[in-house]
Amino acid sequence: MTGLLRYDATHDCFLFEDPNSGSMYPVVWPTGTVAAGGAIGVTVSSGRTFRVGDAVRGGGGYLQVASAWGIADARNIGDAGDVAVFNPTETFEPQG
C-alpha cells in the first residue's frame, strides 16, 4: 500500500489516505508501532518515524475488519468500513 499519513482529531485516530482515490481509512499498524514523540505521527519497530502528511509505503491491504477489531466509528471516518491493515512483519519505507 502507498498513501499519506493523516490524523483525525475528532476521532483521535490515524488515517491512511489513498493518493489515487482520496479515500481515507483507519490504520492498524504492526506490533511495535508507537506514537512519535514531539509531533503527531508514529514510530515503527525499525525506529523510522512517519509524521502526518508523510507518504508511506508498505505491504498490506484494505479489509472490512472495523467491527471485529472494535473500530466502531470506521463507517464515519473510513470508506465502507474498510481498514488499512499493514502486514505484521512489514518494513516501512518513505515514499515520494
Side-chain angles (χ1 to χ4, degrees):
M1 299 186 303
T2 300
L4 303 173
L5 181 61
R6 301 293 187 204
Y7 179 73
D8 181 327
T10 301
H11 295 95
D12 191 27
C13 70
F14 288 103
L15 300 173
F16 189 73
E17 179 182 357
D18 180 329
N20 297 317
S21 67
S23 296
M24 304 275 247
Y25 304 90
V27 184
V28 175
W29 298 93
T31 300
T33 303
V34 297
I40 296 176
V42 296
T43 301
V44 295
S45 61
S46 68
R48 175 144 187 96
T49 297
F50 293 95
R51 307 228 184 270
V52 170
D54 285 350
V56 180
R57 182 178 65 190
Y62 302 97
L63 304 174
Q64 288 198 345
V65 295
S67 61
W69 289 351
I71 305 172
D73 290 332
R75 289 183 308 276
N76 298 325
I77 57 177
D79 287 350
D82 285 355
V83 175
V85 180
F86 284 107
N87 294 334
T89 58
E90 191 55 46
T91 301
F92 294 91
E93 302 175 18
Q95 182 66 34

